[in-house]
Amino acid sequence: QVQLVESGGGLVQPGGSLRLSCAASGSIFSINDMGWYRQAPGKQRELVAVITSGGGTHYADFVQGRFTISRDNAKNTVWLQMNSLKPEDTAVYYCNAEIREHFWSSRDVDYWGQGTQVTVSS
């Protein structure tokens, strides 16, 4: 069994910063891509950023250089540093990881964290 545990959300004023963390634990042989998604009320879940096991990154257009995704493969952990936050960044942020549980597994399995609320408001 695999768990993704997120932390770091909260209330911040516009222009402020937050750092989200997500740690994967349990039966893990390897992790492929790790990423962050978000879902605002009444909207569909959308990709924020993704990072490969080799460190390659991809960001949604709305990030515009404000967010940085990073990971530590030894700790099975991914972070999202969010700067210059805007009210429209308010959402529940979810961690995602593509995990191979055993060396004999034929495919990766998609796992999700429970979500952490980020509210940007004055």
Side-chain angles (χ1 to χ4, degrees):
Q1 195 75 344
V2 174
Q3 277 191 317
L4 300 184
V5 179
E6 300 146 344
S7 61
L11 173 64
V12 64
Q13 291 186 340
S17 299
L18 282 175
R19 190 185 194 214
L20 306 182
S21 298
C22 172
S25 63
S27 178
I28 298 172
F29 173 71
S30 64
I31 303 179
N32 195 357
D33 291 354
M34 301 185 82
W36 290 94
Y37 291 71
R38 71 185 189 184
Q39 187 167 18
K43 295 188 177 181
Q44 289 192 332
R45 190 174 298 189
E46 61 182 354
L47 173 69
V48 177
V50 64
I51 184 167
T52 69
S53 57
T57 59
H58 171 77
Y59 296 92
D61 289 343
F62 60 76
V63 169
Q64 297 176 334
R66 301 179 296 128
F67 298 175
T68 302
I69 189 170
S70 59
R71 67 189 280 177
D72 184 327
N73 291 334
K75 296 180 179 179
N76 292 333
T77 299
V78 63
W79 296 274
L80 184 69
Q81 176 67 43
M82 303 186 294
N83 300 326
S84 302
L85 283 161
K86 306 174 182 179
E88 50 264 43
D89 293 318
T90 296
V92 178
Y93 284 69
Y94 295 91
C95 173
N96 170 266
E98 298 175 350
I99 294 175
R100 184 155 302 191
E101 297 182 29
H102 307 287
F103 73 89
W104 65 81
S105 300
S106 60
R107 63 182 181 89
D108 296 343
V109 177
D110 242 6
Y111 283 94
W112 292 88
Q114 79 284 0
T116 184
Q117 177 70 46
V118 171
T119 303
V120 185
S121 175
S122 55

